Amino acid sequence: MTSPASGTAGPQNLPEYAPVPAIAKGAALNEHGYHVWQVNRNLYAVTDNVYMSAFLTTPDGVVIFDAPPNIGHNIRRAVDQVTAANGMTNQVTHMVYSHHHADHQGASSLFGGDIVRIGHEETRRLLLRDNDPARPVPDVTFSDRYTLEVGGERVDLAWHGPNHSPDNIYIHFPDHDTLMFIDVVNAGWVPIYNLNLSDDVIGYTGAPAIALDYPWTHLISGHLGRVATREDVALHQQYIADIEASSREALASVNPGPIFQHYRENVWAAVRTHLDAVTEHAAAPVIAKYTGVLGGADIDIFTWTTTFAIMQSIRLDRGPSGPVHP
Ligand SMILES: [Zn+2]
């Protein structure tokens, strides 16, 4: 018998990291484990310092934007807290899905079957595929654009192509100076593994420029403890641009020849060694530059895996592919 504390993952064996920079600090949570605040007028955000969702309180009902299971029943607590204070109804009438992922929508079913759910047509297709009772499929879908009007408020939904996921949309609040766009930019933090677990590298790396084309001051980005600013988006873009430049330099400078000669017939061993060497060479200066600047920058596997994905996209999508055999 071994006790959990004696395993290799016990707290005494966990690695230590640099203190998080000031821009990565979260909110002070209440006794239920959430923080809710006014983003602009009747638009509110709620966080547990890992996930974030939002809601609009109107005279005709509450509109919820994403229901992360991490926040779970605290979404209802936050709505009740805010509407008790501002005198609006606490009845939830609508829910908007940013994208289909369960970590952002898995508390949707808590709000029952009598609300109107709105999402991209690809979100509906993927949720029908996934068949998850926690995430009822949207009743109202759209292909490119949809304007939601509830209680005198307006929200513009738009799909500009795949990025983090095939169905991830831009949710613009033109009268609240706010954009909600999930799982691409983390305010004050690096993306986690593989560009925040994203499907489409070109779409992901191009998405922040699309987000910046909208007029907004506040960006609700789906994670961590605060809304992002335009400066946060610019810093994220610089981090990605640095990885791209470093990856191109590494692809050009790490010579695979001696590695392939060493491994001879074990071609995959050579491929692994070469690509790992390129990744390490490309990521090292980026990790050094952003440690102390962005939270998680010294968690090297995040920048390694993001670098690997970008480096592969340079090889596979954008080119150059590598030397052409003479
Ligand atoms: Zn996601």
Side-chain angles (χ1 to χ4, degrees), residues 80-91:
D80 288 348
Q81 177 189 335
V82 164
T83 53
N86 73 10
M88 298 275 191
T89 173
N90 71 346
Q91 190 183 351

Side-chain angles (χ1 to χ4, degrees), residues 179-201:
L179 182 73
M180 182 166 179
F181 181 52
I182 303 301
D183 278 352
V184 173
V185 176
N186 296 327
W189 294 78
V190 299
I192 66 162
Y193 303 90
N194 294 303
L195 310 118
N196 259 355
L197 311 177
S198 290
D199 292 337
D200 187 314
V201 175

Side-chain angles (χ1 to χ4, degrees), residues 25-244:
K25 302 269 191 204
L29 304 181
N30 65 14
E31 73 277 18
H32 295 291
Y34 72 89
H35 175 65
V36 63
W37 72 103
Q38 181 183 42
V39 177
N40 186 288
R41 293 200 298 113
N42 54 342
L43 176 65
Y44 297 84
V46 56
T47 186
D48 65 354
N49 282 334
V50 182
Y51 280 86
M52 192 181 294
S53 79
F55 57 91
L56 201 50
T57 64
T58 84
D60 294 349
V62 176
V63 186
I64 292 180
F65 300 85
D66 285 3
N70 253 51
I71 307 176
H73 289 277
N74 279 337
I75 300 170
R76 166 51 74 190
R77 288 191 187 95
V79 167
D80 288 348
Q81 177 189 335
V82 164
T83 53
N86 73 10
M88 298 275 191
T89 173
N90 71 346
Q91 190 183 351
V92 174
T93 56
H94 296 76
M95 181 175 297
V96 173
Y97 288 158
S98 64
H99 66 308
H100 72 289
H101 283 166
D103 65 326
H104 289 272
Q105 314 305 346
S108 174
S109 62
L110 297 181
F111 295 90
D114 292 336
I115 65 170
V116 177
R117 291 179 172 84
I118 302 141
H120 189 257
E121 61 188 15
E122 185 70 0
T123 303
R124 179 179 167 87
R125 191 187 72 77
L126 291 165
L127 289 177
L128 286 168
R129 176 198 70 178
D130 295 344
N131 191 29
D132 176 3
R135 290 174 286 160
V137 300
D139 318 285
V140 176
T141 62
F142 65 98
S143 54
D144 292 324
R145 288 173 192 283
Y146 182 83
T147 296
L148 173 66
E149 288 179 312
V150 179
E153 302 295 347
R154 173 185 173 129
V155 188
D156 293 324
L157 314 181
W159 182 79
H160 296 297
N163 45 70
H164 162 69
S165 65
D167 59 331
N168 199 28
I169 61 168
Y170 298 73
I171 301 167
H172 189 227
F173 301 84
D175 302 321
H176 297 84
D177 201 15
T178 298
L179 182 73
M180 182 166 179
F181 181 52
I182 303 301
D183 278 352
V184 173
V185 176
N186 296 327
W189 294 78
V190 299
I192 66 162
Y193 303 90
N194 294 303
L195 310 118
N196 259 355
L197 311 177
S198 290
D199 292 337
D200 187 314
V201 175
I202 301 280
Y204 176 93
T205 56
I210 297 171
L212 287 173
D213 276 345
Y214 284 89
W216 54 266
T217 300
H218 316 287
L219 174 69
I220 297 166
S221 64
H223 282 283
L224 303 158
R226 66 174 174 87
V227 295
T229 63
R230 300 182 79 88
E231 290 71 31
D232 288 317
V233 177
L235 183 56
H236 167 91
Q237 287 178 302
Q238 188 60 56
Y239 169 81
I240 295 293
D242 285 345
I243 290 176
E244 287 177 353

